[in-house]
Amino acid sequence: MENILIVDDEKNYPRIIGEILQEEGYTSLTASSGMEALDILNNELIDLVLTDVKMPGMSGIQLLEKIKEINPDIPVIIMTAYGSVEKAVGAMHKGAYTFILKPFENQTLIAHIAKAISVYRIVQENSMLRNAISSRYSFDNIIGKSKPMQEIYEIIKKVAPSNASALIEGESGTGKELVAKSIHYNSLRKNKPLVVVNCSAFVETLLESELFGHEKGAFTGAGTMKKGRFEISDKGTLFLDEIGELPISLQVKLLRVLQEKTIERVGGTQPIPVDFRLIAATNKNLEDEVKKGHFREDLYYRLNVVKVVIPPLRERSEDIPLLIKHFIDKYTREQHAGSNVSGINPEAIKILCDYQWQGNVRELENTIERSVILGSGNIITPSDLPLQTRQDMSPPLDLDGIPEGVGLVETLAAVEKRMIQRAMKLSGNVQTKAAQLLGIGKSGLNQKLKKFNIDN
């Protein structure tokens, strides 16, 4: 049962709200001043604070600032009258979850509270796991507590001590190279080289020379003998990234190397023994590539002794809070020591959890790094996130809130005006960005700004 603290110097509001919350299964505590609220917060476990703006002594905004110093994660909902809306909006920038206008509908209040507590639960879970990230929920910087990630950890632990080849499949940005590194550095070969080759980074002729090396004079420009990656990875591990891009002619040669454990440099005739462990990765489905004739079936089975399939981030959203914490720590500690960022507020976490990460973990990491660098305060808020992650921030349209008798045309106009105002706010009054958010052209946005007399 969640504990909600109601802070208001008026006697009736806390009593009425307390009765409403009790009917919904919440426990309520009340305080008539900011100082009394702080005393309660220091002695009780509180899941949400509901506070008025105008109070004698300490205002609701000042109380918000104190609460964020005590616990930056706890959600705070601001209650305000129409005359104090500007202050309530300012409170959002200081970390308030949302604000609600007095008088309010009971169901509107309950909906805000339920959503805020749901987000807070995610943050709480993240906090509880903070000290466990390096052990229970990570493996060599591979972060995740979801079932698929736990299964991947187990596969790594079992396959690492062997010499078996491993095939890692997953979309771009899912962390395939991290898995390869984990296998190598937990193996008996960990003190020998891990050699990485991106098969898509070279044309065929250069890739052959990179892999096999060449003898002096083997081709124009070969002024000296050069060892290839096969030789360099001797007694260690060779990681062939994007192996789905390996040309058929080199697939044949790779298969021969795996079978015979010897190579010949380009331009050479002397067989050279090599002893390496092969780990390959691809963002393609190699079974489909085999059926299309783009990948040799015999090489596929040679590689596919142990397969590790990394799920896309959008299919393991429960791992996102852990990753967010990991990347905030990484970029505040290692690369941006001057940053004041120490955390992220619940609404921003909710946005990032709901976003469809086509670039997967790499895209999330870039987003957090950007937010750490450009963040306006010590807590990352929705306004610090890139525009594309915020496009789905708007709540669903509440038709029950539209008074009876209001016509369709005026209702649509009101909704259109509010959407334009929100887009201008999110974009910092940059019309080009606001137009992109709305999915219209800049000239169309100009016309609507004039139509609704919106200042910009």
Side-chain angles (χ1 to χ4, degrees):
M1 185 177 293
E2 291 83 4
N3 295 327
I4 298 175
L5 175 59
I6 308 164
V7 190
D8 199 324
D9 61 320
E10 295 183 22
K11 292 183 179 180
N12 289 333
Y13 257 103
R15 179 180 59 79
I16 295 171
I17 294 172
E19 292 174 357
I20 296 170
L21 296 179
Q22 186 175 5
E23 291 178 3
E24 295 296 324
Y26 299 112
T27 298
S28 64
L29 296 86
T30 61
S32 58
S33 69
M35 291 303 298
E36 185 181 351
L38 291 176
D39 287 338
I40 293 174
L41 283 162
N42 285 322
N43 293 285
E44 301 285 345
L45 290 175
I46 300 298
D47 298 287
L48 181 142
V49 177
L50 186 66
T51 181
D52 192 25
V53 172
K54 298 181 96 176
M55 295 186 295
M58 183 185 298
S59 70
I61 307 301
Q62 291 171 323
L63 174 61
L64 168 67
E65 292 173 341
K66 294 289 185 183
I67 291 172
K68 290 304 173 181
E69 290 176 6
I70 297 171
N71 183 352
D73 297 331
I74 191 169
V76 178
I77 294 178
I78 300 291
M79 298 183 294
T80 184
Y82 282 97
S84 300
V85 170
E86 186 176 344
K87 289 183 179 179
V89 172
M92 298 284 285
H93 293 290
K94 295 183 178 181
Y97 178 79
T98 190
F99 67 89
I100 186 169
L101 295 176
K102 291 181 175 181
F104 43 75
E105 296 289 334
N106 293 352
Q107 289 306 312
T108 302
L109 174 65
I110 293 302
H112 280 304
I113 288 174
K115 184 178 178 184
I117 287 178
S118 174
V119 173
Y120 184 47
R121 285 286 166 258
I122 296 174
V123 179
Q124 277 191 315
E125 184 179 8
N126 183 27
S127 297
M128 287 188 292
L129 296 173
R130 190 168 296 165
N131 295 327
I133 281 181
S134 61
S135 54
R136 188 176 173 190
Y137 297 126
S138 73
F139 198 104
D140 295 343
N141 285 326
I142 308 169
I143 307 298
K145 70 182 185 68
S146 60
K147 184 178 178 181
M149 296 309 296
Q150 295 297 312
E151 291 173 352
I152 287 173
Y153 301 157
E154 290 303 313
I155 293 173
I156 294 173
K157 290 174 184 176
K158 290 177 180 179
V159 73
S162 74
N163 279 316
S165 298
L167 177 62
I168 307 167
E169 291 188 351
E171 294 180 7
S172 295
T174 49
K176 297 187 290 295
E177 186 168 346
L178 279 179
V179 172
K181 288 179 177 179
S182 294
I183 293 173
H184 171 74
Y185 289 113
N186 288 278
S187 75
L188 299 177
R189 298 172 178 261
K190 62 185 177 183
N191 294 322
K192 298 297 180 179
L194 169 64
V195 179
V196 179
V197 181
N198 188 326
C199 297
S200 64
F202 301 93
V203 297
E204 182 175 347
T205 52
L206 288 179
L207 181 57
E208 182 176 10
S209 177
E210 282 294 320
L211 290 173
F212 290 86
H214 59 254
E215 298 290 355
K216 180 179 179 180
F219 49 82
T220 304
T224 60
M225 183 276 290
K226 175 186 174 182
K227 287 186 177 182
R229 305 295 179 93
F230 289 132
E231 285 184 78
I232 296 171
S233 61
D234 189 52
K235 301 296 188 296
T237 302
L238 178 66
F239 175 47
L240 295 182
D241 198 8
E242 303 301 345
I243 198 167
E245 304 297 330
L246 193 68
I248 289 289
S249 62
L250 289 181
Q251 291 179 30
V252 175
K253 294 181 178 181
L254 174 59
L255 181 61
R256 186 179 302 120
V257 172
L258 295 176
Q259 291 171 340
E260 300 178 2
K261 301 296 183 182
T262 62
I263 60 111
E264 290 180 8
R265 300 187 190 119
V266 176
T269 57
Q270 184 69 30
I272 301 169
V274 287
D275 172 21
F276 61 85
R277 184 203 198 149
L278 181 64
I279 301 176
T282 180
N283 59 12
K284 295 182 176 181
N285 185 316
L286 288 191
E287 288 188 29
D288 290 343
E289 295 299 299
V290 169
K291 292 174 183 177
K292 295 174 185 176
H294 297 162
F295 203 86
R296 289 183 62 93
E297 185 175 20
D298 47 5
L299 178 58
Y300 171 67
Y301 288 118
R302 174 70 71 166
L303 297 174
N304 192 27
V305 177
V306 176
K307 181 185 285 190
V308 182
V309 180
I310 307 177
L313 187 56
R314 57 188 174 277
E315 292 181 8
R316 55 181 187 103
S317 58
E318 62 193 287
D319 292 332
I320 291 176
L322 289 172
L323 288 161
I324 291 170
K325 169 61 183 167
H326 174 74
F327 292 136
I328 288 175
D329 288 347
K330 174 181 177 179
Y331 287 109
T332 53
R333 181 182 65 248
E334 296 178 5
Q335 295 192 24
H336 308 295
S339 172
N340 294 321
V341 172
S342 60
I344 182 169
N345 80 0
E347 187 66 12
I349 291 178
K350 181 67 166 57
I351 292 168
L352 296 177
C353 286
D354 291 343
Y355 184 69
Q356 296 295 301
W357 296 97
Q358 297 303 315
N360 292 294
V361 178
R362 186 183 298 126
E363 184 185 1
L364 174 62
E365 180 173 4
N366 291 343
T367 297
I368 297 301
E369 182 181 12
R370 173 193 181 278
S371 300
V372 168
I373 297 170
L374 302 179
S376 54
N378 62 346
I379 299 295
I380 296 173
T381 65
S383 62
D384 296 319
L385 302 176
L387 287 174
Q388 67 267 22
T389 64
R390 294 185 267 142
Q391 290 182 1
D392 297 326
M393 285 174 59
S394 56
L397 182 63
D398 182 11
L399 296 179
D400 294 333
I402 300 175
E404 294 182 7
V406 176
L408 177 62
V409 173
E410 55 192 299
T411 300
L412 291 176
V415 171
E416 185 178 17
K417 180 178 180 179
R418 289 183 63 185
M419 287 185 69
I420 292 169
Q421 289 172 324
R422 187 186 66 207
M424 291 295 289
K425 179 182 176 182
L426 288 175
S427 65
N429 285 325
V430 178
Q431 291 188 22
T432 303
K433 292 181 179 179
Q436 290 174 348
L437 282 175
L438 294 166
I440 61 177
K442 185 179 177 183
S443 60
L445 175 61
N446 268 317
Q447 294 175 3
K448 293 181 184 297
L449 291 171
K450 293 176 182 177
K451 172 183 174 182
F452 294 113
N453 195 28
I454 299 173
D455 294 330
N456 61 294

